[in-house]
Amino acid sequence: MSQNVVKIKSRIKSVSGAYKVTSAMKLVSTVKLKQWRNKMLANKEYTTELDEVANLLLTFSKKTKSPYLAKENTTNKKLFLIVSSTLGLCGSYNNNIFKVSDANISKDDEAIILGQKGIAHYENDDFKIVEGFSEDYSINNKAIIEKMADLFSKNMKKELILKFTSSIQNIRTPLFSLQKTTNSCL
């Protein structure tokens, strides 16, 4: 009987020790999350202001000859840039992207797809995949940017629509759709 009491007390000590370690890890991760959240919010304010200033400058600039700002466009085709994952365990992320993208893409539209899961999902669809980047891609990839610029400079696309999602909390993942037309600043 006394051996059982000793075992139970030992077990209680080990569980309470694990609880203390877990609580400390939770505290550290909360602090890091708050730091990154503050950095992201500061960056968001900066980009919003930068976008407003650029749009204001473009409104007063009448002598621009940029093909990205041309008001006349002969096509209604849209170019989608769909950001999906390459590795597994991102089912919710990919499903949210595919659900919104599938609802918005028509047969005449084209897409540049980032991520192996997106390429696999859309390889048999009606619309045309202009380019697919399956490994080591980034939204700042020179090849992606050149491909989009080339399509816009030839007046082949009316709009560029970026489909991605951002994980804010573990519970919910809001969808984002960034849509820019040829009449505004890219």
Side-chain angles (χ1 to χ4, degrees):
M1 182 86 153
S2 66
Q3 288 179 343
N4 286 338
V5 173
V6 171
K7 285 182 181 179
I8 291 173
K9 286 183 180 181
S10 172
R11 180 74 178 144
I12 289 173
K13 278 186 180 181
S14 67
V15 168
S16 66
Y19 178 76
K20 289 177 184 178
V21 170
T22 306
S23 297
M25 291 171 64
K26 184 178 177 182
L27 182 64
V28 169
S29 66
T30 303
V31 169
K32 286 184 178 183
L33 178 66
K34 285 181 182 179
Q35 288 173 346
W36 279 105
R37 183 182 298 146
N38 291 338
K39 287 179 183 180
M40 287 175 52
L41 287 174
N43 189 30
K44 184 177 180 181
E45 292 172 10
Y46 172 75
T47 54
T48 303
E49 288 295 321
L50 185 63
D51 192 39
E52 288 177 13
V53 168
N55 284 330
L56 185 63
L57 287 173
L58 290 171
T59 332
F60 294 110
S61 172
K62 300 201 183 226
K63 296 181 180 180
T64 56
K65 293 184 180 182
S66 172
Y68 307 112
L69 303 174
K71 294 195 180 205
E72 295 178 20
N73 197 329
T74 58
T75 184
N76 286 329
K77 289 184 179 181
K78 298 174 186 172
L79 176 66
F80 285 82
L81 179 61
I82 301 171
V83 181
S84 68
S85 72
T86 295
L87 301 175
L89 300 177
C90 298
S92 172
Y93 175 87
N94 289 325
N95 285 334
N96 287 336
I97 294 289
F98 300 153
K99 188 186 326 177
V100 172
S101 298
D102 290 345
N104 295 326
I105 296 179
S106 69
K107 290 181 183 180
D108 297 332
D109 296 332
E110 295 179 354
I112 296 175
I113 301 177
L114 306 181
Q116 195 170 3
K117 299 295 182 183
I119 292 170
H121 179 80
Y122 288 115
E123 66 187 353
N124 296 325
D125 271 2
D126 293 338
F127 65 90
K128 180 182 175 188
I129 297 176
V130 177
E131 194 80 44
F133 295 88
S134 61
E135 294 181 12
D136 297 329
Y137 65 83
S138 167
I139 200 71
N140 297 325
N141 188 320
K142 187 177 180 181
I144 298 169
I145 294 170
E146 286 175 351
K147 191 65 160 177
M148 290 186 300
D150 185 45
L151 290 169
F152 269 94
S153 66
K154 293 178 182 173
N155 247 356
M156 295 173 64
K157 301 290 170 266
K158 183 177 183 178
E159 294 177 282
L160 168 65
I161 301 170
L162 174 62
K163 295 289 183 182
F164 66 99
T165 183
S166 173
S167 180
I168 291 178
Q169 293 177 352
N170 291 339
I171 299 172
R172 61 185 181 131
T173 18
L175 292 168
F176 293 100
S177 177
L178 179 63
Q179 188 166 344
K180 291 286 185 177
T181 63
T182 54
N183 295 337
S184 65
C185 176
L186 289 176

